Amino acid sequence: MRKPCRILHVVTQMNRAGMENRLMDIYKNIDRTQIQFDFYTLRETAGEFDEEIKALGGKVFYNKPMNIVTMYSSLRNFNLFLIKNKEYKIVHCHLNQWSGLMLGSAKRAGILTRIAHSRTSLEGYSLKNIIKNIVKIPVNYTATHKFAVSYKAGVWLYGARAMKNSKVKILPNAIKMDDFHFDNDLRITTRKKLNISGKFVMIHVGNIKPEKNHLFLLEIFEKVLIRNKHAILLIVGKDHMNGIVKKKAKELKLNNVYFLGSRTDICELLNAADVFVFPSKYEGFPGSVVEAQCTGLSCYISDRITSEVILSDLVETIPLTAKPEEWADIIINKNYLNRKDMVPILKNTEYDVERSAELYKRFYLLEMRIKDV
């Protein structure tokens, strides 16, 4: 029996976050008798998914973090790793601006299939973003294949010309839709468990990072509370801002904000909520918005988020320039009755992980020159 083709995915660390969740969904749904994923991480410690990866037959390798100071040694280590581990013929890189440099190391090691996968779309002119715009330049010369989760993400990493010339393949973040059905009994049970029965519940799912705009989310919720004193805000995600958002909630005396941290029961929490609010400054393709739509949840997202994420009339975009009270008015005035399960409507699209995993398999096998489909 032929051994599965091993694909090396290059990531920062396999923790529970947007890109990592989506990549794990693909991994768990791909035919692992033919395709096996291994992960090369830019961290020297284990990630939250590492044990599950190993249980699925994958391997996890570690390198030091990539930054301007460690860049040379990190790239050299990766080059030496690939020279030593000649079984890898395909390197799939998910490092955004660092992808070009990492794939340069892969090119020098003789890797013929080098995939860059743009997962974000940065905006703004901070020093950090300027540096990222410089660091990303090599990607168009070192990647043999260019993927992006959305048009905006493709423009950011590869440029408008590459998108115009159809040199970038759009592969939107897909989810396992069957994990996100709406179930009214589950809704009732979860609300009782969280002690939020009878409340108007807003939810945000996304790690606490500056681009997710949680501070503005708190301002919106403050105005919602004026209109409905029984409102609750659930914030789901790992804190990457050293408690700044929690501190702001205390300053605003928002006692009805529940910081739930990183969770595995996202479907239950979405079922328990009444509205999904997502005022990000920028995104690649936020899979959490798709998850929310599957559960029939009304979604309010900023106009900075790529339009590809709008799969139904449940989503309404609001200008990020609108004031918090304007967001609150729109959210409160919505009729949330007659919620229904949207999975039967949205399934079997390119946003469902089973179909997406099949597309990945076909691509990898074609690159490995194996006639399978």
Side-chain angles (χ1 to χ4, degrees), residues 45 66 70 82 88 90 100 117 126 161 221 259 279 281 283 315 366:
T45 55
M66 175 78 87
T70 64
L82 290 173
Y88 296 111
I90 298 177
H117 204 144
S126 65
R161 180 179 296 178
F221 181 63
F259 290 91
K281 297 177 182 178
E283 291 282 348
V315 181
L366 180 62

Side-chain angles (χ1 to χ4, degrees), residues 25 29 173-182 267 290-291 294-295 311 341-354:
D25 284 342
N29 283 275
N173 286 334
I175 69 167
K176 190 173 182 180
M177 291 188 176
D178 281 332
D179 288 345
F180 291 93
H181 287 278
F182 174 66
C267 179
V290 178
E291 294 170 352
C294 285
T295 65
L311 308 184
D341 182 14
M342 291 292 288
V343 170
I345 298 173
L346 300 179
K347 195 170 169 58
N348 297 321
T349 67
E350 59 185 328
Y351 305 98
D352 182 68
V353 72
E354 293 177 6

Side-chain angles (χ1 to χ4, degrees), residues 322-337:
K323 296 179 180 179
E325 49 265 35
E326 295 178 75
W327 281 71
D329 285 338
I330 294 171
I331 292 167
I332 286 294
N333 290 329
K334 177 76 173 182
N335 181 0
Y336 299 104
L337 299 177

Side-chain angles (χ1 to χ4, degrees), residues 42 45 48 78-79 84 87 124 139 143 167 169 182 207 222 300 324 332 334:
L42 293 182
T45 55
E48 295 168 352
F78 186 50
N79 178 260
K84 182 180 179 180
E87 64 184 304
V139 72
K167 294 183 178 180
K169 182 174 181 62
F182 174 66
N207 285 339
E222 183 183 29
Y300 297 95
I332 286 294
K334 177 76 173 182

Side-chain angles (χ1 to χ4, degrees), residues 41-292:
T41 71
L42 293 182
R43 289 293 184 271
E44 296 174 294
T45 55
E48 295 168 352
F49 280 122
D50 287 18
E51 290 306 312
E52 185 176 359
I53 289 169
K54 294 173 185 177
L56 292 169
K59 303 173 185 177
V60 185
F61 306 97
Y62 305 94
N63 194 356
K64 61 183 63 179
M66 175 78 87
N67 55 50
I68 297 299
V69 176
T70 64
M71 180 173 66
Y72 176 78
S73 59
S74 292
L75 293 172
R76 181 174 180 273
N77 289 344
F78 186 50
N79 178 260
L80 293 175
F81 171 86
L82 290 173
I83 292 173
K84 182 180 179 180
N85 295 274
K86 295 186 181 298
E87 64 184 304
Y88 296 111
K89 309 299 181 184
I90 298 177
V91 171
H92 194 150
C93 193
H94 307 266
L95 296 177
N96 293 320
Q97 74 275 4
W98 294 110
S99 293
L101 292 173
M102 290 296 283
L103 292 178
S105 286
K107 183 178 182 180
R108 290 189 290 275
I111 304 298
L112 298 180
T113 300
R114 304 179 299 274
I115 308 162
H117 204 144
S118 182
R119 297 281 185 170
T120 191
S121 58
L122 296 182
E123 293 184 11
Y125 297 96
S126 65
L127 177 60
K128 186 177 181 179
N129 284 355
I130 290 172
I131 293 173
K132 288 181 178 181
N133 283 328
I134 295 172
V135 171
K136 72 181 183 182
I137 291 174
V139 72
N140 280 316
Y141 306 99
T142 60
T144 58
H145 298 78
K146 301 167 188 176
F147 293 172
V149 294
S150 66
Y151 185 85
K152 277 189 175 182
V155 169
W156 178 76
L157 187 58
Y158 311 113
R161 180 179 296 178
M163 300 301 296
K164 185 177 180 180
N165 294 338
S166 301
K167 294 183 178 180
V168 180
K169 182 174 181 62
I170 303 297
L171 289 174
N173 286 334
I175 69 167
K176 190 173 182 180
M177 291 188 176
D178 281 332
D179 288 345
F180 291 93
H181 287 278
F182 174 66
D183 183 326
N184 196 55
D185 291 337
L186 179 61
R187 170 181 169 83
I188 293 170
T189 301
T190 307
R191 287 170 75 90
K192 285 181 179 178
K193 187 187 302 183
L194 294 173
N195 196 27
I196 57 175
S197 299
K199 307 290 186 180
F200 175 72
V201 182
M202 290 172 49
I203 190 171
H204 178 281
V205 180
N207 285 339
I208 299 177
K209 294 182 176 182
E211 62 267 27
K212 299 292 185 183
N213 215 7
H214 285 84
L215 295 177
F216 184 62
L217 177 65
L218 292 180
E219 293 180 27
I220 295 170
F221 181 63
E222 183 183 29
K223 302 303 181 184
V224 168
L225 270 177
I226 294 173
R227 293 152 175 79
N228 186 339
K229 64 181 180 180
H230 299 296
I232 296 287
L233 173 60
L234 305 180
I235 295 181
V236 185
K238 189 174 181 179
D239 185 3
H240 293 272
M241 292 179 63
N242 301 314
I244 291 175
V245 178
K246 280 188 177 181
K247 183 179 178 181
K248 179 69 171 180
K250 288 181 179 179
E251 289 176 358
L252 296 174
K253 298 181 180 179
L254 301 176
N255 300 320
N256 292 359
V257 180
Y258 295 14
F259 290 91
L260 301 182
S262 179
R263 304 280 293 230
T264 58
D265 57 345
I266 303 300
C267 179
E268 289 88 338
L269 297 174
L270 291 172
N271 269 270
D274 296 299
V275 58
F276 183 92
V277 184
F278 207 73
S280 292
K281 297 177 182 178
Y282 58 83
E283 291 282 348
F285 185 98
S288 57
V289 181
V290 178
E291 294 170 352

